[in-house]
Every structure is written in structure tokens, then in C-alpha cells.
Amino acid sequence: MTEKRWLVLIITSYLVLGFIYALTTPAFEASDELWHFPMVRHLADGNPLPVQVFDPSQVGPWRQEASQPPLYYYLGAALTFWLDTSDMAQVRIENPHVDNGLITQDGNINLVVHDPQANPWQGTLLAVRIVRIFSVLLGAATVFLTYRIASAVEPKRLEIALGAASVNAFLPMFLFISGAVNNDNLAIMLASLALYLMIRMAIGNKASVPEDRASVPHVFNSRQEAVRWLLLGLVIGMALLTKEGTIGLLPLALGTAFVRAWQLDRPRSQNKELDFPESIRWLAKLVARALLTFILVLLPVILVAGWWYYRNLQLYGEWLGWNAFIAVLGQRGHPASLIQLWGERRGFLMAYWGLFGGVNVPMSSWIYAVLNSLLMLSVVGFVIYFVRLLKQWVSETKGKWRSFSSLINNPMLLIASRFALIACLLLALAVILGLVRWATTTWSSQGRLVFTAISALSVLFMVGLVGWLPHRAAKWIAFGVGMFMLTISAVAPLLWIRPAYQPLSYTPPHPYVLNSSDISFDNQIRLVGVAVNSIDTGGSQVEPGDTFWVHLEWELLEPMEENWSVFVHLIDPVLGRPIAQRDMYLGQGLLLTSWLEPGQRLVNSYRLQVPETAVAPTQLEVSAGLYDFYSGKRLPIDEERDNVVLAMLQLEPVSGKYPNPVTVNFEEELELIGYDIEQRRAVPGEKIDLTLYWRARRPLTNEYTFFAQIVDEDTTRWASHDFAPPEGTSTWQPDEVQTMSLTLTLDENSEPNLYPIVVGIYTQTQQGDFDRLQIQTSDGRLTDDYLELTLVRVDQ
């Protein structure tokens, strides 16, 4: 087929798949759509822009999205203002128990509960679908722009242009986001358009210099070129009015202006060798011309988006408004290091390739393995490709470094000749570095957040994969990769997305046999079957870290007006409180009790894990009941009981030389291998003795101090003990076990409650700050800088 027919086929296939994703994914289950759409609806109702409050408990249904630039929301409002969306509260019922961002084995992944009787073609649900279709069309424009950008990078390599377009079009996560109400879709398209316009400015008509310079503006090659710079500024302005993550387009535009200025004045500098003073004057002229051009770009940017950033400055005291955004979104306990972010790469890549729903509905693991392998091959191939370009450039400029002006001309020759490729690299780098900066503060290690540069990333991916190969091999590889991605993106809605939101389609991963039961809760709902399965030990005995399943069969006895949640608790009798629990609506989180009919039966399954630091031996109680999440009221069994004991589990210690053995790695420096606690119930003023067993993992060069604390939720310390070994930790030998005794004396004003004991390690810097070691997981990720050991009860 011809190139145009291939492109039409790719875009048509993308549109078909995009509409399937948009119609298959339940409303509000796409990434952040739960909060993006209320912004659209708020503006569609004729309301002014909301002001972001800093108190997470007082935010509107849009949560942190009120801090987002509003262009996408205004466009969505223009498309749906004529619809009556007053039913939003009835169809947008949040699931308070959702495991957002967590991949679970027992469901509970839905952000909202979906009424099976709701009409998807009216009111709010229709409005969601209209904006989703608009988003899919924006994605089609992005795919086309990716093709055009790739054609500029390698004009004679058809397989790279079509391959990059297909990688973009058939990336499952891109299709998922494109079929959602999300401002990313407009930002992605505008960023791709801006990148394409800059490439055209730098490589289009680059040799044309007017004969009569007096008839042309001083800065531009023609009046038409000035209009193009204004158009570029308009596009960047709209991008900045859509998403602040597009701000990297501005320095790229400045660089493009400099390249264009060099192109217009290059003949003069190459006709003769310029001495140092002449070169400096010439360089100053180029910089001045680039700055004047950039000012022309800034004019529409300021006119289109300037008011939004001024508004942020006035309302939040910060022109980006990130302080308001983070106040609602939440942030890490302490800034993440680059090592920690690198440890989160697995989840980052999953969310780039395809991690659906609330970043908790994955594809099959082998798919990620294949795609990650292709990425690694692409990176290696790109290095080979780029080294060849550098060798060619060195060969072309050999012997041409005779003057100061050549120090500018020779690198600029490479940049201008390969501007499309370098622009893709710079945009991708700007977006990735921006996300790294953002992710050090917030929990945002999601690959989809770099989609602003998806056109550039798709082009670079395909260039690295096949750009260095012979044409014949490159064509077949590009075709194979495109077909593979088309296949997985086509089956994803049917295999993973749709089944995740079918309330009665869940099948537990392990077999079970229900034992009959006859426990009635307020004569409204009856527990008719129970099974408690310990998968790790195969019986009623468990160890710290083990998981077990609870299966409950429920029967509705009469219609229920309230929506009850089921709780399953693992209770430590010494504490009298749960040490593990699982709460969810029926139907694995997808059904409300007010929707059920009398006589209807269904089985719910719950997966619980015994904490790895649970104190053993002891006997644990598994109990269950129903409660109203918003009021806390429990549904009674009788006058005395509001829960039923399902089973007793014997908690036995993990076999080892030390009590309560654990393996907790603190940054490859020290390892906690066990602990012992004298008592877990005390009164204010009483002492709790704690023994810790530490082991150095390698020779230590720092002197560490160890701490143990009993803390409240608001970080109030009711007891603490810091201990620095008198001999110094630098004297500890690797693998030699050190026993440490700490005494925690409860404050006389300690309030009766249940509190965790936390332990950790720190060093004191020369500036007087405290630098804590972080816990390192088995896969290399750095997490918290403290370990919660166990709970203690403070009595009156």
C-alpha cells in the first residue's frame, strides 16, 4: 500500500479502538476522570472558576484539579452545556474503600460504584461520553502529528514515520487516556503541534534568504515567517492554559529562534573567517535576533495564558499554584532521592505501557516484559544511531575549526541538520526532568505523566529500534512491533478493563469450601456461608507475613435503604484491636446493598495479611460485620453483638534464632533481624522495655544513632529513646549481631488509646540536621525512613 493509505489505516484503527476504550471503560474509572469531569460540569453550569482551598477536607468534587489550567474544561463545557447533568451525584458515587494505585488480588479497585440501572445515554453519563469522544479526536490529531514529526526526523525512512505513528496510536495507556475526560489529551496534542511547528520553522525553507533585505523586517525572513512565530506562540499559550507541564516548550522555542537566526545569517559567517571581535559581534547579533523572535512568541503566550498564572500568584502566592495543588493531592513524607525514584521504575513503566483504572488494573505480566525488552533494545539502538551521526559530523567538519566563528558554526551545522531529532530529545528530556522534580515531592511516578512528550518519545523509540538497521530488516521489525501493540491494545478492553468492573465475575485465585452459617444482621441480611483459608500454611496456623482468605456468602432478607460496608478484622486479643483489616462494599466493592433484591445471594472474598512485625506466639481472632462508612454505625446482630467471630488463627513465630524475626534492610547499611517487647499494655508513666537485634550489612563508615518512639497520628511523642552505641557503629563487623535494649517511658499525660512503636536510624549532619536511613525493599526501592514494629495499648 502507499504511505498515505498506511497512515489512514493506522489513524482509522486508532479511532475505532479509541471509541471502544471510551465506551467500555465505566464512567469515572479512567485516570483522574473522577475529578476532571466535575470541573467540566461546574463550568458548563455557568459558574466561575473555583478557588482551590488548601484543606483537603473542604475541597469540591474536583479536588486538586481546581488548580489545573482551564482550557480543556472550558472546551468540554462548551460541548455539554446543553445537557442536564443534575444527576451527577446519583451516578458518581465514590467507593470510599478503593485501593487506588494498588494492584490487589481481591478486587476493590473501582473508584466509584456503578448503578446497573443507570442510562449511559442521558445526563451526566452522556456528557462524559461526549467529552471522551472529543478526547479521542484530539488523540487522532496527536497520532498524525507524530507521523509528521517522524517524517521530519528521517524523511527517507517510511518505516520510522509509520512505525512511530503506530506505536503512539496503539499504546494501550495512550488509548485509555484518550478515551477519558482528562486535560492531558489537549495538552498532548498542543505540545505535539508546537513541536512540529518548531521543526518546520527550523528546517523549512532554511536556505531561503531574501535578496532585498531592506524590504523585509529586520528579524524575520518574511512577513509570513513572523505570522508563523505568532502562531507558534498561540499554540504554546493554549498548551500552557491546558497543563503547566508544557512549560518546557518555551525554552525549546527560544532555542528554535536561535537556530533560525543562525540559518538566516549563516552565509555571511561562512564566506570568510571572522576574527574574535567580529565573531563576538556576530554572536551578539544572533542572540539579539533570537530574543526578538522569542518576544514575538511570548506575546500570544502572555495574552492567552498570562491571566491564569497571574491569578495563581494573586490567589496562592505562587505563579504555578503548585502549593495549592500539593496541599490537596498530598506529598511524600520526605523528598525522594533519585535512587528511590529509580526503584519505582517498574510501576512507572507499567503506567506508561498500560495500567488502567485508578492505576490498579494491569495487563498480563509477560506483556510488560516484552515491551520493556523492546525499550532496552531501543535505547541501545539509539546510542548506535547517534554515535553514527556524531562520526559523520566529525568527518564533515574535519579541518574546519580554523576560526572562532567555526566554534559556533560547526555545532550549529549538526543541530540545524538534525534539528527534528534534537528537538524531540530536548522536549522528552524537559518533560521527564519536570516529572522527576515533581515526583520527588509527590507520589507521581506514573509513566502516563510524560505523555506530553509522547510524539517525541514514540519517534525516539522507533528511531532507536530500527533507525540503525538496513531498510528491509527495519520495515519488518517496525511492522511486527506495530502489529504486536495493535493486538494487545485491541484485546485490553475485553480481557482486563471490562471484567474488572463486572460485580459478579470475580473468581478467587484459590479454591475454598463454604461452611454453613446462619447469622442474621438486624433481620436485613444474613451470613449463610463462611470459609477461612490460610494459603501459606494450609490450616489455622499462620506466621507473621502470611496471607489468608476469608470468603463470606451473604443473602439479602429485605430491602435495605442504607449502603453497608463489610469489615473483616484480624484482632490481637492483647490489644483488643485489629492488626489487619479489609473493608469493602459487596460485589468486591462494586455493589451497594440498596441495589440488592430480597433473596439475592452473593459471595465476597477478602485477602488479609498478617503484619510481618506481628508479635508471636498468640492467638488471633477473625471477625466480620457491617457498618456505614460515613456515620460509623454498625448493623447489629442482637442487643449485645455487632460482629461475628469467623475463626481463630494461631500465630506462631517464624523459625529463627531471635524472637519475632524480621528482615528489614536500611539502605544496605544495617538490618533489623528481630525484636522483643516486654509488654504491650501499659499506663501513663509506666515503662516498656524493647530489645532490638541489629546486624551490619557491610563495613560502616558513619556513626549511627537508633531511636524508638511511641507516637500519635499527629506525630505527638508519648515516649521516645535515642541510643548511640558508645563504641560507635563504625566498629561493628559485618554480619555480627548487636543486641540493643531501649526503654520507653510513657508520658504522664499520655492519652488512653492504641499507638504504634516506630524505630529507625539516623546520623546528625554538620549543619545540625538529622538524616534518616530509609527502608530498602527486596527489589531495591527506598520507602519509609522508619519501621512500625507493633502496637501498644495505653490504658487509664
Side-chain angles (χ1 to χ4, degrees):
M1 294 197 301
T2 64
E3 181 177 359
K4 289 184 178 179
R5 288 180 178 176
W6 275 114
L7 180 61
V8 169
L9 181 60
I10 291 171
I11 294 178
T12 302
S13 301
Y14 159 80
L15 286 171
V16 171
L17 289 174
F19 292 145
I20 290 174
Y21 277 75
L23 298 177
T24 301
T25 306
F28 310 116
E29 293 294 353
S31 301
D32 295 341
E33 187 176 69
L34 181 65
W35 304 301
H36 284 297
F37 180 78
M39 281 291 293
V40 173
R41 187 241 179 159
H42 180 77
L43 298 177
D45 289 344
N47 298 304
L49 286 169
V51 175
Q52 182 71 74
V53 298
F54 285 76
D55 184 355
S57 65
Q58 301 298 321
V59 296
W62 39 74
R63 290 185 59 80
Q64 71 273 7
E65 307 306 342
S67 302
Q68 295 264 32
L71 181 57
Y72 177 82
Y73 307 126
Y74 274 123
L75 293 175
L79 293 171
T80 58
F81 72 93
W82 51 278
L83 287 170
D84 179 8
T85 56
S86 59
D87 63 339
M88 190 175 77
Q90 286 72 50
V91 298
R92 183 184 171 275
I93 304 172
E94 295 189 48
N95 175 13
H97 311 298
V98 61
D99 294 300
N100 199 355
L102 299 176
I103 300 173
T104 64
Q105 295 184 31
D106 59 352
N108 206 31
I109 49 82
N110 51 301
L111 295 164
V112 300
V113 284
H114 307 279
D115 186 353
Q117 304 302 319
N119 186 345
W121 300 105
Q122 70 178 24
T124 297
L125 296 182
L126 176 58
V128 169
R129 280 163 171 75
I130 289 174
V131 182
R132 283 182 171 187
I133 290 172
F134 168 62
S135 295
V136 171
L137 296 176
L138 292 174
T142 300
V143 173
F144 175 75
L145 289 165
T146 299
Y147 163 78
R148 297 295 294 171
I149 293 167
S151 297
V153 171
E154 283 289 354
K156 298 180 181 180
R157 300 291 297 271
L158 170 64
E159 70 277 9
I160 290 179
L162 294 176
S166 63
V167 166
N168 189 165
F170 306 136
L171 184 66
M173 196 65 178
F174 178 73
L175 281 161
F176 183 70
I177 295 297
S178 296
V181 179
N182 194 308
N183 64 342
D184 283 353
N185 294 301
L186 181 59
I188 293 167
M189 190 277 289
L190 291 171
S192 299
L193 179 57
L195 176 61
Y196 177 67
L197 291 175
M198 284 185 271
I199 290 172
R200 295 312 305 169
M201 293 299 300
I203 70 175
N205 300 319
K206 60 185 179 183
S208 63
V209 178
E211 295 180 2
D212 183 10
R213 288 185 177 273
S215 64
V216 181
H218 293 293
V219 180
F220 307 105
N221 192 16
S222 67
R223 290 184 176 85
Q224 290 80 6
E225 183 170 317
V227 171
R228 294 191 191 104
W229 286 111
L230 287 171
L231 176 61
L232 174 61
L234 177 63
V235 172
I236 295 177
M238 290 191 296
L240 289 172
L241 195 58
T242 303
K243 196 173 183 70
E244 291 167 350
T246 59
I247 201 165
L249 294 170
L250 286 174
L252 188 57
L254 177 59
T256 306
F258 185 82
V259 171
R260 186 58 179 155
W262 175 82
Q263 288 174 338
L264 291 175
D265 213 18
R266 176 187 167 197
R268 176 177 174 272
S269 66
Q270 288 196 327
N271 287 338
K272 64 174 182 176
E273 293 186 6
L274 304 179
D275 58 22
F276 182 77
E278 289 179 310
S279 297
I280 294 298
R281 288 193 293 270
W282 171 64
L283 180 60
K285 181 181 177 182
L286 294 183
V287 171
R289 177 174 291 190
L291 289 175
L292 288 172
T293 304
F294 187 62
I295 290 172
L296 192 66
V297 173
L298 281 180
L299 288 176
V301 171
I302 294 171
L303 288 174
V304 172
W307 66 272
W308 169 259
Y309 294 92
Y310 178 76
R311 176 181 182 268
N312 284 342
L313 191 61
Q314 294 296 108
L315 290 175
Y316 314 124
E318 187 179 86
W319 67 286
L320 289 172
W322 282 358
N323 54 346
F325 192 96
I326 292 174
V328 178
L329 177 66
Q331 58 184 332
R332 298 174 186 261
H334 51 83
S337 64
L338 292 178
I339 295 177
Q340 182 172 350
L341 293 180
W342 175 251
E344 297 169 7
R345 65 191 181 280
R346 179 174 176 271
F348 176 89
L349 288 173
M350 289 178 70
Y352 183 86
W353 302 123
L355 188 56
F356 313 115
V359 203
N360 55 10
V361 179
M363 300 184 290
S364 296
S365 58
W366 68 268
I367 293 177
Y368 299 111
V370 171
L371 292 172
N372 288 339
S373 298
L374 289 174
L375 178 61
M376 293 175 61
L377 291 174
S378 176
V379 171
V380 174
F382 187 84
V383 172
I384 296 172
Y385 175 89
F386 201 76
V387 167
R388 287 181 179 177
L389 288 182
L390 291 177
K391 286 183 176 179
Q392 181 182 355
W393 171 71
V394 170
S395 176
E396 292 174 352
T397 59
K398 189 175 182 180
K400 297 181 180 180
W401 299 85
R402 295 183 298 271
S403 64
F404 183 82
S405 58
S406 65
L407 296 177
I408 301 170
N409 279 325
N410 289 337
M412 288 301 298
L413 181 65
L414 173 66
I415 293 171
S417 63
R418 305 298 302 189
F419 181 81
L421 177 69
I422 293 172
C424 287
L425 275 171
L426 292 177
L427 179 60
L429 186 63
V431 171
I432 292 172
L433 290 178
L435 178 60
V436 167
R437 180 189 173 193
W438 181 247
T440 57
T441 303
T442 65
W443 292 100
S444 302
S445 296
Q446 298 181 29
R448 70 176 185 87
L449 296 179
V450 299
F451 279 3
T452 308
I454 193 169
S455 290
L457 291 169
S458 299
V459 171
L460 295 173
F461 176 81
M462 190 52 61
V463 167
L465 208 56
V466 304
W468 55 284
L469 294 172
H471 286 262
R472 184 176 179 82
K475 289 178 181 179
W476 282 107
I477 292 174
F479 178 78
V481 171
M483 288 302 298
F484 173 71
M485 299 194 70
L486 172 61
T487 302
I488 61 174
S489 62
V491 301
L494 300 177
L495 291 186
W496 300 297
I497 298 176
R498 188 174 184 274
Y501 302 101
Q502 301 300 305
L504 302 179
S505 66
Y506 175 79
T507 302
H510 303 286
Y512 63 93
V513 177
L514 290 171
N515 300 312
S516 60
S517 173
D518 188 14
I519 304 293
S520 173
F521 288 80
D522 200 30
N523 295 317
Q524 296 184 61
I525 190 170
R526 186 162 62 102
L527 181 62
V528 297
V530 174
V532 178
N533 295 43
S534 173
I535 304 304
D536 299 280
T537 61
S540 60
Q541 181 176 306
V542 292
E543 296 179 351
D546 283 353
T547 60
F548 65 95
W549 286 80
V550 176
H551 310 278
L552 304 178
E553 183 178 10
W554 300 94
E555 179 186 20
L556 196 70
L557 301 178
E558 62 179 46
M560 306 180 80
E561 295 182 359
E562 296 181 79
N563 295 316
W564 300 96
S565 303
V566 176
F567 67 82
V568 179
H569 288 170
L570 180 65
I571 298 176
D572 185 329
V574 175
L575 304 173
R577 292 280 295 274
I579 60 172
Q581 69 182 78
R582 195 78 169 115
D583 296 22
M584 72 173 75
Y585 288 137
L586 295 179
Q588 304 306 132
L590 288 158
L591 289 176
L592 299 179
T593 51
S594 61
W595 295 344
L596 303 180
E597 298 291 335
Q600 186 173 351
R601 287 192 178 194
L602 65 162
V603 177
N604 250 37
S605 299
Y606 311 85
R607 179 182 181 273
L608 289 86
Q609 181 176 21
V610 182
E612 294 184 356
T613 57
V615 177
T618 190
Q619 197 170 47
L620 303 175
E621 176 184 286
V622 183
S623 65
L626 297 101
Y627 75 107
D628 183 316
F629 174 82
Y630 297 100
S631 68
K633 181 180 68 173
R634 289 192 178 187
L635 194 62
I637 298 174
D638 50 40
E639 293 182 355
E640 297 181 354
R641 295 183 299 162
D642 57 16
N643 67 88
V644 56
V645 176
L646 305 174
M648 302 299 294
L649 298 178
Q650 180 62 36
L651 178 65
E652 294 293 340
V654 178
S655 58
K657 184 177 180 181
Y658 302 97
N660 300 303
V662 294
T663 302
V664 184
N665 177 6
F666 285 82
E667 292 192 35
E668 295 294 340
E669 290 278 285
L670 291 150
E671 182 178 51
L672 181 66
I673 61 173
Y675 77 97
D676 195 13
I677 185 170
E678 183 180 297
Q679 58 181 359
R680 289 186 289 150
R681 300 188 72 152
V683 297
E686 198 169 357
K687 295 180 179 180
I688 296 177
D689 292 323
L690 178 68
T691 304
L692 304 175
Y693 300 91
W694 294 98
R695 179 169 58 197
R697 294 178 64 92
R698 60 187 178 192
L700 302 177
T701 57
N702 292 323
E703 301 297 345
Y704 290 107
T705 300
F706 301 80
F707 70 86
Q709 301 170 356
I710 297 177
V711 295
D712 203 343
E713 289 183 355
D714 62 358
T715 68
T716 300
R717 298 181 189 176
W718 296 120
S720 65
H721 187 169
D722 290 34
F723 176 74
E727 73 280 9
T729 54
S730 60
T731 64
W732 290 7
Q733 297 301 312
D735 296 327
E736 184 179 288
V737 177
Q738 307 289 334
T739 302
M740 185 178 300
S741 298
L742 303 176
T743 300
L744 295 168
T745 303
L746 285 167
D747 189 283
E748 295 288 349
N749 298 315
S750 301
E751 299 177 359
N753 207 336
L754 207 62
Y755 302 107
I757 292 181
V758 299
V759 298
I761 311 166
Y762 67 87
T763 57
Q764 191 166 0
T765 65
Q766 294 180 349
Q767 293 75 25
D769 299 325
F770 297 97
D771 186 14
R772 289 186 179 186
L773 290 182
Q774 292 178 254
I775 297 173
Q776 185 169 322
T777 62
S778 58
D779 58 359
R781 291 182 297 109
L782 295 175
T783 58
D784 295 325
D785 58 7
Y786 65 90
L787 171 69
E788 183 175 314
L789 278 183
T790 184
L791 297 172
V792 295
R793 175 178 286 281
V794 177
D795 296 320
Q796 292 280 6

